[in-house]
Amino acid sequence: MNWIRAMIAAALMQGLTGTAAVQAASKVCAAPASPMARAICADAELSALDARLASTLESIAAKVGPNERAALSRGQRDWLRSRDACTGSGDMKTCAKTAYRSRIAQLEIEAGLVPAKGPIAFGCGEGQTAWVTFAQGLPPAARLLSSDYDLMLFGGEERPARGDEKVFENNGFTLVTSGGLMLLAGQEGALLCRVDH
């Protein structure tokens, strides 16, 4: 965990280029210290996600002022703690992959690094509103914000959309939009919402 913090801090504070950030990571992988570091260094997909996150953070840090960089660093430290909790899960790679994809998509949406539509307000009954932003990143993502949720969901190639239907999934949640309606389904039930005009 310390090596990733050091790499991210260096990239954020010193403005390392993408190549320099990858070189820093490869040096760290020569002697990874934590189980998560070993998993990242041993897996090409996780290594690529780690490099993509470092590049995304670098792009954002280059465009913002000192206060925003400090907030970005704090957010990254919080995220690192949640990502490192994956070492206690039954499937560390899947957990870490999901954590990386969610963090990258969140940063890309918030920083405007990918084309996005929204946030679109959906009325969910009894004064509840959910805001959904659809981003055209890799993979396509939807971020749902409400008083109860802050979810990052991903469009799957395995479930092609029909007409204007869009399907996004992550962590046991499924979000489907079609014809001005949105359905959010999870283990605790489902919520049907309509575009709030």
Side-chain angles (χ1 to χ4, degrees):
M1 184 165 125
N2 291 337
W3 72 271
I4 293 175
R5 278 191 185 145
M7 183 180 80
I8 297 299
L12 289 173
M13 299 308 170
Q14 297 174 5
L16 290 176
T17 65
T19 303
V22 171
Q23 288 171 346
S26 66
K27 289 178 186 175
V28 172
C29 285
S34 70
M36 182 58 72
R38 288 190 294 275
I40 292 166
C41 295
D43 185 270
E45 187 176 13
L46 286 176
S47 292
L49 286 167
D50 191 65
R52 183 173 167 201
L53 177 59
S55 176
T56 301
L57 287 165
E58 180 182 328
S59 294
I60 296 168
K63 296 176 182 178
V64 299
N67 291 341
E68 292 86 358
R69 278 194 297 277
L72 188 62
S73 292
R74 283 190 303 275
Q76 189 62 14
R77 281 191 300 273
D78 292 343
W79 176 80
L80 286 168
R81 281 190 289 278
S82 69
R83 188 231 32 213
D84 288 349
C86 289
T87 58
S89 73
D91 186 352
M92 183 170 62
K93 179 184 174 184
T94 299
C95 179
K97 180 181 167 184
T98 298
Y100 272 104
R101 288 174 65 198
S102 296
R103 179 70 171 151
I104 291 166
Q106 175 191 2
L107 289 168
E108 287 177 341
I109 290 169
E110 289 175 356
L113 297 177
V114 294
K117 182 180 178 183
I120 299 169
F122 287 88
C124 303
E126 297 184 31
Q128 290 183 319
T129 303
W131 291 269
V132 182
T133 301
F134 299 96
Q136 297 174 14
L138 292 173
R143 183 175 190 190
L144 180 139
L145 294 170
S146 73
S147 59
D148 297 324
Y149 297 104
D150 183 353
L151 300 174
M152 192 62 64
L153 303 115
F154 302 97
E157 298 293 326
E158 66 280 355
R159 291 184 67 181
R162 295 184 197 135
D164 69 344
E165 179 182 280
K166 295 179 184 176
V167 179
F168 298 88
E169 299 176 298
N170 192 16
N171 287 334
F173 287 94
T174 301
L175 180 133
V176 180
T177 61
S178 180
L181 297 174
M182 177 190 74
L183 175 69
L184 177 65
Q187 294 176 346
E188 296 179 8
L191 181 65
L192 181 64
C193 307
R194 297 179 186 278
V195 170
D196 211 356
H197 293 287

